Amino acid sequence: MSRQVVKASAPGRINLIGEHIDYNDGWVLPFAIKYRTYVEIARRSDPIISIESQEQDQKIEIPLTEIGPEKRRNDWSDYVAGTIWSLGVDTLLGENDQGGENGLDIKIRSEVPLGAGLSSSAALECAVALALNQLFSLKLSLIELARLTQRAENLYVGVPTGIMDQSISLMAHQGSALLIDCLDLSTRHIPFDLERAGLELLIIDTNVHHHLTDGGYGERRRDCEMALAQLGFSSMRQLDINQLELFKNSLSNTFYIRLRHVLSEISRVHQSVDALKAGDFKRVGQLIYQSHSSLRDDYQVSSPELDLAVELAIAEGALGARMVGGGFGGSAIALIDIEKIQGLKSKIESNFAENNFIAPRFFTSKPSRGAALEI
Ligand code: GLA
């Protein structure tokens, strides 16, 4: 009998708007990009988890008994081992002594650019989770898989990320951005037809790599929690941008501007949904640019490279531009007429060189499909 091989893939993401909002109980509006991570998983007869990555050019073999958060290896294989652990598959394999099939062979190939802030890690976790869900007939819903893969990242890999990246990787639809309520993970698909409007979304990777473990991300999370607690609230849902002014004098300036970013960004997400529904891309662009100013000045997570890329995009006629993802590096996006893309790329390249910044990389992507089993 030939052994069963399950194949699955999952995409990286761009967040159109709603940055640093997922862990603040708000709404976000990301979409999946065309770049995907592909996995193939089969059982094997010895208690070994073999993980082979084409991009890393590495094969790592972990004994089943060495899977667990306290035994993490601090390399890329933790995303895979963490997902196995979070879904309880290591326990299932351990119980399977009679059949003898208590190991896994996992092969990975990925197109998602690494270190660009496009969620290559969520793409890997989600592809592995979807394949394991099928191979072990776990019958977990996409929402459950999103929560379990986030748990893998938080508890196994050890980074305090929110739920956005895994949710969009699993639940995206081609041609739409996804409005996600990060409290209960309910979603609405919002059509986002760039082509019809003659627009493209240019992704500008500054090539400045950041790590969510570096501290700035966790610090922003703590600022928000502490500011809310000081006001006697337990969730951002209890407050809106108009009410914030009433509390201005009860907060330090840092806490006030952190909350001002979060609450104004949530309002911009809803306004962007309305603008997209009305086909008003000019308005979407304005909101995106406002989001950047807020991330730069109030949340203070931008970088000189991101700011330069955004300002050049606006000067070249983009409808809007902003940094995306956690910040402190990674990528910016520009919503721009297709025919202006080449000009913008050259401007960014020459200006980066003049400033002695690392040469940037460029990508484009329309909203693409979410995670799927592959035949
Ligand atoms: C990273 C995290 C997400 C989210 C963004 C900021 O990408 O993984 O959960 O918090 O930063 O919006």
PDB file of all heavy atoms in Angstrom, residues 13 15 18-23 161-165 212 217 325-326, ligand 1:
ATOM      1  N   ARG A  13       0.902  37.553   3.497  1.00  0.00           N
ATOM      2  CA  ARG A  13      -0.142  38.579   3.502  1.00  0.00           C
ATOM      3  C   ARG A  13       0.415  40.002   3.467  1.00  0.00           C
ATOM      4  O   ARG A  13       1.566  40.243   3.793  1.00  0.00           O
ATOM      5  CB  ARG A  13      -1.043  38.445   4.731  1.00  0.00           C
ATOM      6  CG  ARG A  13      -0.349  38.670   6.072  1.00  0.00           C
ATOM      7  CD  ARG A  13      -0.483  40.078   6.617  1.00  0.00           C
ATOM      8  NE  ARG A  13       0.340  40.309   7.782  1.00  0.00           N
ATOM      9  CZ  ARG A  13       1.588  40.755   7.736  1.00  0.00           C
ATOM     10  NH1 ARG A  13       2.172  40.992   6.577  1.00  0.00           N
ATOM     11  NH2 ARG A  13       2.288  40.966   8.835  1.00  0.00           N
ATOM     12  N   ASN A  15      -1.220  43.726   4.898  1.00  0.00           N
ATOM     13  CA  ASN A  15      -2.344  44.337   5.599  1.00  0.00           C
ATOM     14  C   ASN A  15      -2.642  45.675   4.920  1.00  0.00           C
ATOM     15  O   ASN A  15      -1.781  46.550   4.894  1.00  0.00           O
ATOM     16  CB  ASN A  15      -1.977  44.541   7.070  1.00  0.00           C
ATOM     17  CG  ASN A  15      -3.167  44.974   7.893  1.00  0.00           C
ATOM     18  OD1 ASN A  15      -4.303  44.876   7.431  1.00  0.00           O
ATOM     19  ND2 ASN A  15      -2.914  45.452   9.094  1.00  0.00           N
ATOM     20  N   GLY A  18      -5.094  48.826   9.308  1.00  0.00           N
ATOM     21  CA  GLY A  18      -5.434  48.228  10.604  1.00  0.00           C
ATOM     22  C   GLY A  18      -4.168  47.656  11.231  1.00  0.00           C
ATOM     23  O   GLY A  18      -4.092  46.482  11.577  1.00  0.00           O
ATOM     24  N   GLU A  19      -3.145  48.528  11.400  1.00  0.00           N
ATOM     25  CA  GLU A  19      -1.842  48.031  11.871  1.00  0.00           C
ATOM     26  C   GLU A  19      -1.696  48.174  13.379  1.00  0.00           C
ATOM     27  O   GLU A  19      -2.050  49.204  13.956  1.00  0.00           O
ATOM     28  CB  GLU A  19      -0.735  48.803  11.147  1.00  0.00           C
ATOM     29  CG  GLU A  19       0.466  47.958  10.829  1.00  0.00           C
ATOM     30  CD  GLU A  19       0.159  46.818   9.859  1.00  0.00           C
ATOM     31  OE1 GLU A  19       0.243  47.030   8.649  1.00  0.00           O
ATOM     32  OE2 GLU A  19      -0.172  45.711  10.330  1.00  0.00           O
ATOM     33  N   HIS A  20      -1.189  47.114  13.988  1.00  0.00           N
ATOM     34  CA  HIS A  20      -1.067  47.001  15.456  1.00  0.00           C
ATOM     35  C   HIS A  20      -2.451  47.070  16.117  1.00  0.00           C
ATOM     36  O   HIS A  20      -2.623  47.671  17.177  1.00  0.00           O
ATOM     37  CB  HIS A  20      -0.128  48.077  16.025  1.00  0.00           C
ATOM     38  CG  HIS A  20       1.310  47.751  15.766  1.00  0.00           C
ATOM     39  ND1 HIS A  20       2.044  46.943  16.594  1.00  0.00           N
ATOM     40  CD2 HIS A  20       2.117  48.083  14.739  1.00  0.00           C
ATOM     41  CE1 HIS A  20       3.269  46.809  16.094  1.00  0.00           C
ATOM     42  NE2 HIS A  20       3.336  47.484  14.964  1.00  0.00           N
ATOM     43  N   ILE A  21      -3.395  46.456  15.454  1.00  0.00           N
ATOM     44  CA  ILE A  21      -4.779  46.483  15.916  1.00  0.00           C
ATOM     45  C   ILE A  21      -5.245  45.098  16.350  1.00  0.00           C
ATOM     46  O   ILE A  21      -6.115  44.961  17.193  1.00  0.00           O
ATOM     47  CB  ILE A  21      -5.698  47.029  14.780  1.00  0.00           C
ATOM     48  CG1 ILE A  21      -5.336  48.480  14.453  1.00  0.00           C
ATOM     49  CG2 ILE A  21      -7.175  46.921  15.135  1.00  0.00           C
ATOM     50  CD1 ILE A  21      -5.417  49.427  15.633  1.00  0.00           C
ATOM     51  N   ASP A  22      -4.633  44.043  15.784  1.00  0.00           N
ATOM     52  CA  ASP A  22      -5.166  42.695  16.076  1.00  0.00           C
ATOM     53  C   ASP A  22      -5.100  42.358  17.567  1.00  0.00           C
ATOM     54  O   ASP A  22      -6.071  41.862  18.144  1.00  0.00           O
ATOM     55  CB  ASP A  22      -4.514  41.599  15.205  1.00  0.00           C
ATOM     56  CG  ASP A  22      -3.003  41.515  15.278  1.00  0.00           C
ATOM     57  OD1 ASP A  22      -2.367  42.363  15.944  1.00  0.00           O
ATOM     58  OD2 ASP A  22      -2.452  40.574  14.661  1.00  0.00           O
ATOM     59  N   TYR A  23      -3.979  42.693  18.221  1.00  0.00           N
ATOM     60  CA  TYR A  23      -3.882  42.365  19.655  1.00  0.00           C
ATOM     61  C   TYR A  23      -4.572  43.422  20.512  1.00  0.00           C
ATOM     62  O   TYR A  23      -4.517  43.375  21.732  1.00  0.00           O
ATOM     63  CB  TYR A  23      -2.412  42.199  20.069  1.00  0.00           C
ATOM     64  CG  TYR A  23      -1.527  43.386  19.771  1.00  0.00           C
ATOM     65  CD1 TYR A  23      -1.477  44.483  20.621  1.00  0.00           C
ATOM     66  CD2 TYR A  23      -0.744  43.421  18.626  1.00  0.00           C
ATOM     67  CE1 TYR A  23      -0.681  45.577  20.353  1.00  0.00           C
ATOM     68  CE2 TYR A  23       0.053  44.517  18.329  1.00  0.00           C
ATOM     69  CZ  TYR A  23       0.082  45.586  19.199  1.00  0.00           C
ATOM     70  OH  TYR A  23       0.882  46.672  18.923  1.00  0.00           O
ATOM     71  N   THR A 161       2.920  37.698  18.953  1.00  0.00           N
ATOM     72  CA  THR A 161       2.147  38.255  17.835  1.00  0.00           C
ATOM     73  C   THR A 161       0.639  38.094  18.034  1.00  0.00           C
ATOM     74  O   THR A 161       0.178  37.254  18.811  1.00  0.00           O
ATOM     75  CB  THR A 161       2.528  37.543  16.530  1.00  0.00           C
ATOM     76  OG1 THR A 161       2.507  36.145  16.781  1.00  0.00           O
ATOM     77  CG2 THR A 161       3.907  37.925  16.068  1.00  0.00           C
ATOM     78  N   GLY A 162      -0.120  38.888  17.271  1.00  0.00           N
ATOM     79  CA  GLY A 162      -1.575  38.796  17.286  1.00  0.00           C
ATOM     80  C   GLY A 162      -2.071  37.694  16.355  1.00  0.00           C
ATOM     81  O   GLY A 162      -1.296  36.823  15.948  1.00  0.00           O
ATOM     82  N   ILE A 163      -3.340  37.789  16.004  1.00  0.00           N
ATOM     83  CA  ILE A 163      -4.005  36.697  15.271  1.00  0.00           C
ATOM     84  C   ILE A 163      -4.195  37.014  13.780  1.00  0.00           C
ATOM     85  O   ILE A 163      -4.657  36.173  13.013  1.00  0.00           O
ATOM     86  CB  ILE A 163      -5.379  36.406  15.947  1.00  0.00           C
ATOM     87  CG1 ILE A 163      -6.066  35.132  15.456  1.00  0.00           C
ATOM     88  CG2 ILE A 163      -6.331  37.582  15.771  1.00  0.00           C
ATOM     89  CD1 ILE A 163      -5.571  33.893  16.095  1.00  0.00           C
ATOM     90  N   MET A 164      -3.792  38.212  13.340  1.00  0.00           N
ATOM     91  CA  MET A 164      -4.101  38.621  11.969  1.00  0.00           C
ATOM     92  C   MET A 164      -3.460  37.740  10.895  1.00  0.00           C
ATOM     93  O   MET A 164      -4.138  37.306   9.948  1.00  0.00           O
ATOM     94  CB  MET A 164      -3.646  40.069  11.754  1.00  0.00           C
ATOM     95  CG  MET A 164      -3.661  40.501  10.299  1.00  0.00           C
ATOM     96  SD  MET A 164      -3.377  42.248  10.111  1.00  0.00           S
ATOM     97  CE  MET A 164      -1.618  42.378  10.440  1.00  0.00           C
ATOM     98  N   ASP A 165      -2.161  37.458  11.039  1.00  0.00           N
ATOM     99  CA  ASP A 165      -1.428  36.829   9.944  1.00  0.00           C
ATOM    100  C   ASP A 165      -1.960  35.427   9.650  1.00  0.00           C
ATOM    101  O   ASP A 165      -2.153  35.039   8.493  1.00  0.00           O
ATOM    102  CB  ASP A 165       0.070  36.756  10.285  1.00  0.00           C
ATOM    103  CG  ASP A 165       0.649  38.120  10.624  1.00  0.00           C
ATOM    104  OD1 ASP A 165      -0.012  39.137  10.307  1.00  0.00           O
ATOM    105  OD2 ASP A 165       1.739  38.172  11.223  1.00  0.00           O
ATOM    106  N   LEU A 212      10.416  40.193  15.723  1.00  0.00           N
ATOM    107  CA  LEU A 212       9.353  40.597  16.648  1.00  0.00           C
ATOM    108  C   LEU A 212       9.769  40.345  18.093  1.00  0.00           C
ATOM    109  O   LEU A 212       9.140  40.818  19.023  1.00  0.00           O
ATOM    110  CB  LEU A 212       8.053  39.859  16.318  1.00  0.00           C
ATOM    111  CG  LEU A 212       7.472  40.240  14.951  1.00  0.00           C
ATOM    112  CD1 LEU A 212       6.296  39.352  14.602  1.00  0.00           C
ATOM    113  CD2 LEU A 212       7.056  41.690  14.908  1.00  0.00           C
ATOM    114  N   TYR A 217       7.974  45.621  19.638  1.00  0.00           N
ATOM    115  CA  TYR A 217       6.609  45.121  19.441  1.00  0.00           C
ATOM    116  C   TYR A 217       5.944  44.817  20.793  1.00  0.00           C
ATOM    117  O   TYR A 217       4.847  45.280  21.083  1.00  0.00           O
ATOM    118  CB  TYR A 217       6.675  43.856  18.560  1.00  0.00           C
ATOM    119  CG  TYR A 217       5.334  43.281  18.172  1.00  0.00           C
ATOM    120  CD1 TYR A 217       4.696  43.677  17.004  1.00  0.00           C
ATOM    121  CD2 TYR A 217       4.708  42.319  18.967  1.00  0.00           C
ATOM    122  CE1 TYR A 217       3.463  43.146  16.641  1.00  0.00           C
ATOM    123  CE2 TYR A 217       3.479  41.777  18.618  1.00  0.00           C
ATOM    124  CZ  TYR A 217       2.859  42.186  17.442  1.00  0.00           C
ATOM    125  OH  TYR A 217       1.649  41.660  17.087  1.00  0.00           O
ATOM    126  N   GLY A 325       2.834  45.821   8.598  1.00  0.00           N
ATOM    127  CA  GLY A 325       3.370  44.817   9.522  1.00  0.00           C
ATOM    128  C   GLY A 325       3.836  45.451  10.831  1.00  0.00           C
ATOM    129  O   GLY A 325       3.419  46.552  11.191  1.00  0.00           O
ATOM    130  N   GLY A 326       4.703  44.756  11.522  1.00  0.00           N
ATOM    131  CA  GLY A 326       5.125  45.161  12.856  1.00  0.00           C
ATOM    132  C   GLY A 326       5.917  46.465  12.874  1.00  0.00           C
ATOM    133  O   GLY A 326       5.897  47.201  13.848  1.00  0.00           O
TER     134      GLY A 326
HETATM  135  C1  GLA B   1       3.009  41.507  13.036  1.00  0.00           C
HETATM  136  C2  GLA B   1       2.200  40.526  13.864  1.00  0.00           C
HETATM  137  C3  GLA B   1       0.692  40.733  13.668  1.00  0.00           C
HETATM  138  C4  GLA B   1       0.305  42.195  13.817  1.00  0.00           C
HETATM  139  C5  GLA B   1       1.235  43.098  13.015  1.00  0.00           C
HETATM  140  C6  GLA B   1       0.975  44.562  13.259  1.00  0.00           C
HETATM  141  O1  GLA B   1       2.874  41.219  11.685  1.00  0.00           O
HETATM  142  O2  GLA B   1       2.515  39.202  13.511  1.00  0.00           O
HETATM  143  O3  GLA B   1      -0.010  39.928  14.558  1.00  0.00           O
HETATM  144  O4  GLA B   1       0.254  42.580  15.155  1.00  0.00           O
HETATM  145  O5  GLA B   1       2.596  42.841  13.302  1.00  0.00           O
HETATM  146  O6  GLA B   1      -0.282  44.914  12.782  1.00  0.00           O
END
